[in-house]
Amino acid sequence: MSDLPEMMNAVVVAHPGGPEVLHVEQRPRPSPGEGEILIAVEAAGINRPDTLQRQGLYPPPPGAPDTLGLEVAGKIVALGAKATRFSLGDSVLALVPGGGYAQYCVAHESNALPIPAGLSMIEAAAIPETFFTVWTNVFDRGALKAGETLLVHGGTSGIGTTAIALAKAFGATVIATAGSDDKTIACAKLGADFVVNYRTSDFVAATMAATDSRGADVILDMVGGDYVARNYAAAAVGGRIVQIAFLNGPKATLDLRPLMIKRLVHTGSTLRPRAPAAKAVIADALHAKVWPLLAAGRCKPVIDSTYPLAEAASAHARMESSAHIGKIVFTL
Amino acid sequence: MSDLPEMMNAVVVAHPGGPEVLHVEQRPRPSPGEGEILIAVEAAGINRPDTLQRQGLYPPPPGAPDTLGLEVAGKIVALGAKATRFSLGDSVLALVPGGGYAQYCVAHESNALPIPAGLSMIEAAAIPETFFTVWTNVFDRGALKAGETLLVHGGTSGIGTTAIALAKAFGATVIATAGSDDKTIACAKLGADFVVNYRTSDFVAATMAATDSRGADVILDMVGGDYVARNYAAAAVGGRIVQIAFLNGPKATLDLRPLMIKRLVHTGSTLRPRAPAAKAVIADALHAKVWPLLAAGRCKPVIDSTYPLAEAASAHARMESSAHIGKIVFTL
C-alpha cells in the first residue's frame, strides 16, 4: 500500500441539511482490516438512505464510516489480513456499510463479488444495494416463485426497476405502481406485465383486475402509512407483504382480520445494520442464482444518470425530485 | 345404516343470544357423503367460536351444518362412499366443520384420527380443535423450534394449555400469560417456564426479563387490539407473531418499524373455513409427530369440566365466565 496516497477525495456532509451541504473534501484514505479489501472506486451508487443520512435522519450503524455511500465498483488495490477471495487488481462490486462516495473504500471481501461479464463499472456500481435488497426481501423472505404475481410499489426507483427485472427473469408476473404515465410506460418497457399510475388509479382494484380477483402473492412495499391496509386488500390468500421502508411513515391504523382470514405474512427487513456474515449469505445466493442471468444479459441494472463526485448536490437533488428512472451513479 | 335411528338429539340455537338460547331438539340424523364417516358421538368439545356462533357473530362456512360443535370423539357407525381409512366400530376423534353437539356427527375421514392409546373419550374429544390449531399456527406457520421461546397468551384456555404442553414436549421454553394468580399457577403446573398475570404485570417487560432481553421467538395471540404493538415489542429479532383471534378486537394503531428492524413475521390463520384436504395435512402431521407423545403420556389434554348435552347453557356460561382452565366437554 506504500504507493497509495495518504489522502483522498470524499463527499462529506458539512452539517445536516439539503443537497447543498454536500461537498468534496480531503480525507485520510482508509485501510482494510481483517477479511477486508480496499477498492479504488471507479463508480458509486446513490441510494435514498443516503439522502436521509445527509439530513441527519439515518445515522450510520456502529462501526460504519460517517461518510455516505452504500455501494461501489472498482479495482482492488490492497488486501487486509486473511483476505483471500480476491487478488490485487481484480474488478469487483461491493455492498459497503458506508464510505462509498470516495476515491477509496473498504469492503468486507465476503460482501464483494466479481463484476458480471459485459457490465460497465457504472452498471456494476448500480447493482449491490438494490440486488441485495430485492433478493433477500422478494425471493428469500417473500419466497416469490415462478408463476406467482409480484406487486411492486415505486416501480421506477432503483429497487423497483431491479424487482421488475429479477421477478420477470424468475418467471413471475409483475404489477408495478408509479406516479406518472411516463413512469408507468418505463415500467412496462422494463417488463412489468401490468402498471398502475397510483395518482389516477387505485392499485388495489388494478391488482384484482390483473389477477382475476386472486390478488398479489408478494408485495414489495417501501411506502407504508395508508398503503399497509391497501396492501392487505391487494394480497392473495397466503400472500407475503415485505416492508423495506416507510416513505409515507411507519404508522398505520389497521384492521388485522385479513392477516388471519387470508393467512397473510407481513414482514420486512433492513440491510445496512446487518453483519457482513449475513450479507455474505445474500451475496452467495446472488452469485449462484443471479450472476448467470446478468452475464447472459437476461437482466440488467437500469441507469438513470451519472455525476462526478463534485456534483454530489445535483445527484442528491435528482434523487429527491423523484424524476429519476433507475439508478443514479457517481463516476470517479 | 338401517338400524340407526332417523332422528337424534342435537343442541340447537333457538335464536341468537346468551347461553339460555341453547336447547336440545330432535333433528334428522345426518348421513355420510363421499369420503366421510358417521360417528356416534360419545364426547364433544366446546370452543370459543361456538359461543360466537350462538350469538350470531360467527356464521358457519358454506356447506357446514348450522348446528354447533367443531370436535367429537366416538365410534364409527357408517361409512360414506369411498371412505376407506377406518372400519365400522373404530374409535376416532375428528375435527368437524360443525354439528358436533349431537348424537351423530359426520366427519371427513381425512380429518379423523384414531384415539391415542390410554386416552378416554372425553380426553379424545378435547383434542382436535386446539391440537390442529396449535400445530398449524405455532409449529407450521410460527416454525417454533427446540431451544426457542414461545409466548402464549391466554395460557389456561384450551388453546393455551395445548400450546404449553406441545411447546414443552418439543423442547421450547414457554412464557404464558393469564388473568389471575390461580391461573398463572395452573400454567406453571402445566409446564410453563415463566408466567405473567397480565392484570398486575406488563407482559413485555416480563418477556424481556425471562429471555435476557432477547424477546420471544414465537408469540401465539388471540387478543389483538393493543396487544399487537406490545407483541412487536416482546418479540425477538426474527420473531414470528401468529394471530388466531381478536378477543380485544381486530383494529390496531401500530408503528410498523419493529416489523422491519427486527425482521418480524406477523401472520395468522383460521381453521374452520379451510377445505378438508388442508385439514388433512395437519391431521397427518399430528399423527406422525404428536400421537406418539400422547400415547407415551408426554402431553395430555387438560379437562376443565364435563356437561351433558341438556346442560349446554351451563357449559357455554362457564366458557364465557373465563373461569375454566383447559377444555369444557359434553358427554353423551
Side-chain angles (χ1 to χ4, degrees), chain A residues 13 16 48-70 97-99 270-274, chain B residues 257 261:
Chain A
V13 179
R48 200 167 280 271
D50 303 344
T51 68
L52 298 175
Q53 185 175 341
R54 188 203 71 221
Q55 295 168 71
L57 302 175
Y58 189 60
D66 67 339
T67 45
L68 304 181
L70 300 172
T270 56
L271 184 60
R272 190 181 187 187
R274 303 193 71 184
Chain B
R257 274 175 294 191
I261 293 166

Side-chain angles (χ1 to χ4, degrees), chain B:
Chain B
M1 284 195 278
S2 54
D3 54 344
L4 296 174
E6 291 295 309
M7 302 295 283
M8 66 174 188
N9 288 332
V11 175
V12 299
V13 179
H15 51 83
E20 71 284 355
V21 303
L22 298 176
H23 61 277
V24 174
E25 237 178 44
Q26 285 280 299
R27 282 289 183 100
R29 176 186 49 74
S31 292
E34 192 172 301
E36 292 180 335
I37 56 178
L38 183 68
I39 300 168
V41 178
E42 298 186 30
I46 297 172
N47 292 284
R48 200 166 280 273
D50 303 345
T51 67
L52 298 176
Q53 184 175 341
R54 189 203 70 223
Q55 297 169 69
L57 302 175
Y58 189 60
D66 67 339
T67 45
L68 305 182
L70 301 172
E71 57 187 352
V72 298
K75 287 204 170 61
I76 297 176
V77 292
L79 300 170
K82 300 186 183 169
T84 57
R85 291 196 181 200
F86 298 100
S87 304
L88 287 176
D90 283 357
S91 290
V92 294
L93 57 82
L95 184 72
V96 295
Y101 295 9
Q103 286 183 290
Y104 296 92
C105 181
V106 162
H108 197 279
E109 63 167 357
S110 67
N111 300 168
L113 286 164
I115 295 179
L119 292 198
S120 69
M121 279 288 177
I122 291 168
E123 289 169 327
I127 287 178
E129 178 70 13
T130 68
F131 277 66
F132 276 67
T133 296
V134 169
W135 186 265
T136 190
N137 287 293
V138 173
F139 293 90
D140 278 345
R141 301 191 81 68
L144 182 69
K145 284 177 266 304
E148 289 193 325
T149 297
L150 171 71
L151 167 63
V152 56
H153 294 298
T156 51
S157 68
I159 295 287
T161 54
T162 301
I164 293 169
L166 285 179
K168 288 310 301 173
F170 284 95
T173 297
V174 176
I175 305 169
T177 71
S180 72
D181 291 342
D182 281 357
K183 288 186 172 183
T184 59
I185 288 167
C187 291
K189 283 186 178 167
L190 290 169
D193 300 280
F194 302 96
V195 295
V196 187
N197 180 338
Y198 65 78
R199 294 188 200 278
T200 55
S201 300
D202 172 31
F203 73 78
V204 178
T207 300
M208 288 302 160
T211 58
D212 298 328
S213 298
R214 234 177 46 78
D217 300 294
V218 177
I219 301 177
L220 183 64
D221 185 51
M222 62 295 287
V223 181
D226 70 312
Y227 269 40
V228 180
R230 295 167 70 198
N231 288 337
Y232 288 2
V237 169
R240 292 82 74 191
I241 298 149
V242 191
Q243 209 70 55
I244 57 168
F246 295 106
L247 293 178
N248 280 3
K251 298 221 170 116
T253 298
L254 293 172
D255 183 327
L256 292 165
R257 274 175 294 191
L259 205 66
M260 192 171 78
I261 293 166
K262 294 204 276 186
R263 301 188 295 282
L264 305 181
V265 167
H266 191 187
T267 185
S269 73
T270 57
L271 184 59
R272 191 181 187 187
R274 304 193 70 184
K279 294 171 180 168
V281 172
I282 307 171
D284 291 346
L286 284 170
H287 195 229
K289 305 280 181 60
V290 175
W291 256 228
L293 300 176
L294 284 163
R298 287 196 49 214
C299 64
K300 205 175 158 71
V302 177
I303 308 299
D304 174 75
S305 50
T306 63
Y307 293 84
L309 278 194
E311 292 174 25
S314 300
H316 270 215
R318 177 152 182 89
M319 168 73 67
E320 290 177 299
S321 76
S322 290
H324 62 292
I325 292 174
K327 295 284 296 184
I328 307 169
V329 180
F330 286 121
T331 53
L332 281 91

